[in-house]
Amino acid sequence: MALSAHGAFDVQERFAEGAQYVAGGLRPGTSGQDHTVVDPATGEAVHRYVTAGTADVDAAVAAAKAALPGWAGATPGARSDAMHRFAAVLTERAAEFAWAESLQCGKPLRLTTEFDVPGTIDNTAFFAGAARHLEGRAAGEYSGDHTSYVRREPVGVVGSIAPWNYPLQMAAWKVLPAIAAGNTIVLKPAELTPLTSLMFAQAAGEAGIPDGVVNIVTGAGRPAGEHLVGHPDVAMTSFTGSTAVGRRVAEIATATVKRLHLELGGKAPFVVFDDADLEAAVHGAVAGALINTGQDCTAATRAYVQRPLYEAFVAGVADLFAGIRVGDPFDAKTDLGPLISHAQRDRVAGFVDRARSYATVVTGGEAPAAPGAFYRPTLVTGAAQDSEIVQSEIFGPVLVVLPFDSDDEGLDLANDTPYGLAASAWTRDVFRAGRATREIQAGCVWVNDHIPIISEMPHGGAKASGYGKDMSAYSFEEYTQVKHVMYDNTAVARKEWHRTVFGDR
């Protein structure tokens, strides 16, 4: 298929066979329900497809189950080699992936080109290496009479559900550790944004990863997602999404005694102490609040600024917000693209409009005159700590700033939400920084920065933000079963410990 210089292709032609990828090939869904992928920057249809029904989920799980013995039985080196080839295919197709991600999500092309796609390639290369390094406790004679060692074995067929905000990266975060550890997987991407997940699975096949190891079912939550989570042949569920939906996933998974990994919502605090570099904090807040149009569960959403810097911080953020260039994601000058849909834009606007009765909208708070789902960067002050706009996840380009006086107060406010996914602390004082990293209840705490992630380090939350880790070698704790193997070294038939059960010494 011919591609443009920036990776564009005819989406309808590319996925003409369907939006389900099962056992190495595309096929149509069987639900009888049509769905349209829409470019949120223009409102135009990008791709129409039939969504997955329960029969598609069953077929995908069956394909994963059939592929499991061969893939689990492959040597770590063989799995690693295939994943290195996978990374190479992704590198060759980088422009194509960046264009498709921008098209379905409305992300600025420079974000997908410089963040989403390179991050996914790096994840793939990391797990290609990590596949050969599944670690366990050293073998030894811990009882004196036995040699013990630990095996890490695949859990089995993994059923994963990924969100719409980072479709490519979330597909990678679900698929890569699972298959590196020898599992097979069925991934359900969000029906709004299936394109790059399908492309990712196709790239895995082109790299030589066997058919059935990676499968994609594209459908709605109830008929496809719930059936996948509850499927008796699925041994583990990994879900990324809202806390409310996560509770439902947990309910279904628990009923079938599945292993469960949840990465849920966030409301990240951005704590600025009075000795912080003000310019750095202002720039960090703007970038941290607006990345992906604020549709990021680790985005900076609540800035707590110690009183001496508060007014200058608000003024600095307002000034930068006013200069943000909102518009066409494919224009190299665009800073901020649209939200994923008009429904999401209206949801974000609702939070801001309700806040006008109890807080001050310093800048933004409106949609520009454009056909897409755009919303201007919005800065809010004067809200109470227990207000909706401070406590609830908005998932849009909205930053709320509150002052604090003592360090104790600032850290208490940072922890005063149900969430605990990510946070940042801004200070030049090593002791303040150390205290913040210890006391802020979050899975990740940045110091003098906010948002950067790396493949070697884990990502995951605490409290209502879920549990378990994506990325890093720690993710193998989610995707492997630890087995203790113990050998008797004595060759003695009648052991002393038997006498605790029967007979005389």
Side-chain angles (χ1 to χ4, degrees):
M1 178 177 292
L3 301 176
S4 74
H6 59 277
F9 56 86
D10 186 305
V11 178
Q12 199 65 37
E13 180 185 349
R14 175 69 175 269
F15 300 110
E17 296 176 60
Q20 318 305 321
Y21 186 84
V22 178
L26 293 171
R27 62 174 69 179
T30 61
S31 71
Q33 301 296 314
D34 290 339
H35 186 81
T36 301
V37 178
V38 174
D39 176 356
T42 63
E44 296 177 357
V46 169
H47 179 57
R48 291 183 177 88
Y49 67 94
V50 179
T51 59
T54 57
D56 302 300
V57 173
D58 290 342
V61 172
K65 185 178 179 180
L68 181 63
W71 184 247
T75 65
R79 290 199 295 265
S80 177
D81 288 347
M83 294 182 71
H84 277 299
R85 294 193 299 270
F86 190 7
V89 173
L90 295 174
T91 301
E92 292 170 3
R93 304 279 178 79
E96 184 181 349
F97 274 93
W99 177 82
E101 193 78 335
S102 290
L103 181 69
Q104 67 180 352
C105 298
K107 298 170 185 273
L109 186 61
R110 75 178 198 228
L111 179 66
T112 59
T113 300
E114 298 178 24
F115 181 74
D116 297 70
V117 174
T120 300
I121 294 169
D122 186 71
N123 277 183
T124 309
F126 171 81
F127 279 108
R132 303 186 77 152
H133 297 283
L134 291 173
E135 296 182 352
R137 185 178 294 276
E141 289 67 53
Y142 296 99
S143 77
D145 291 337
H146 307 81
T147 295
S148 290
Y149 67 88
V150 169
R151 290 176 55 88
R152 282 192 180 273
E153 298 179 345
V155 175
V157 175
V158 178
S160 291
I161 299 175
W164 48 257
N165 59 333
Y166 289 100
L168 177 59
Q169 286 195 314
M170 293 299 98
W173 286 16
K174 300 302 183 192
V175 169
L176 296 172
I179 67 172
N183 303 281
T184 56
I185 187 167
V186 178
L187 171 71
K188 192 198 87 67
E191 61 269 30
L192 294 174
T193 55
L195 305 183
T196 50
S197 296
L198 292 166
M199 293 165 62
F200 191 70
Q202 288 177 315
E206 291 169 29
I209 293 174
D211 293 348
V213 172
V214 179
N215 306 275
I216 307 292
V217 290
T218 305
R222 263 181 208 285
E226 292 198 2
H227 189 60
L228 178 62
V229 174
H231 199 289
D233 288 334
V234 169
M236 173 186 167
T237 292
S238 177
F239 170 80
T240 297
S242 71
T243 298
V245 177
R247 291 191 184 100
R248 175 61 180 158
V249 169
E251 182 181 307
I252 298 169
T254 301
T256 51
V257 198
K258 286 179 176 25
R259 181 174 295 199
L260 184 60
H261 169 212
L262 298 173
E263 199 266 87
L264 307 177
K267 190 70 177 175
F270 187 101
V271 183
V272 182
F273 294 98
D274 58 14
D275 67 330
D277 180 324
L278 179 62
E279 182 182 19
V282 167
H283 280 257
V286 172
L290 300 185
I291 187 170
N292 203 32
T293 318
Q295 298 167 126
D296 186 312
C297 49
T298 64
T301 57
R302 301 178 288 140
Y304 297 102
V305 184
Q306 206 151 24
R307 193 85 57 181
L309 296 184
Y310 175 78
E311 290 187 5
F313 179 90
V314 170
V317 170
D319 183 58
L320 288 181
F321 268 20
I324 293 295
R325 296 164 297 190
V326 180
D328 179 5
F330 294 99
D331 185 333
K333 294 182 179 180
T334 293
D335 298 318
L336 197 73
L339 291 148
I340 190 63
S341 66
H342 285 85
Q344 179 64 15
R345 184 193 65 185
D346 293 346
R347 180 180 180 276
V348 171
F351 276 100
V352 176
D353 290 343
R354 290 189 296 274
R356 296 180 195 277
S357 65
Y358 58 79
T360 299
V361 177
V362 177
T363 188
E366 62 181 3
F374 296 94
Y375 197 75
R376 295 195 186 281
T378 300
L379 179 63
V380 176
T381 61
Q385 174 66 14
D386 61 356
S387 62
E388 176 192 52
I389 205 163
V390 174
Q391 292 292 322
S392 299
E393 187 173 33
I394 300 171
F395 233 54
V398 179
L399 177 65
V400 184
V401 186
L402 294 84
F404 69 91
D405 292 304
S406 69
D407 289 15
D408 288 349
E409 181 189 11
L411 295 175
D412 286 345
L413 290 170
N415 287 329
D416 185 28
T417 71
Y419 300 104
L421 186 58
S424 63
W426 297 74
T427 176
R428 291 185 174 96
D429 186 320
V430 66
F431 298 104
R432 265 179 162 169
R435 181 186 178 193
T437 60
R438 290 191 304 273
E439 295 187 13
I440 293 177
Q441 299 160 3
C444 173
V445 180
W446 293 285
V447 177
N448 296 327
D449 209 343
H450 195 107
I451 286 296
I453 53 176
I454 50 175
S455 297
E456 291 83 357
M457 288 291 126
H459 175 87
K463 301 177 8 182
S465 293
Y467 47 81
K469 300 299 179 185
D470 289 311
M471 298 199 299
S472 82
Y474 290 98
S475 65
F476 287 131
E477 301 298 330
E478 317 303 321
Y479 293 99
T480 57
Q481 178 69 44
V482 175
K483 178 187 286 184
H484 171 214
V485 178
M486 193 178 215
Y487 283 90
D488 170 58
N489 292 331
T490 67
V492 173
R494 299 185 178 187
K495 297 179 173 62
E496 281 297 312
W497 79 265
H498 294 174
R499 306 289 77 80
T500 64
V501 180
F502 71 95
D504 298 325
R505 293 190 185 278

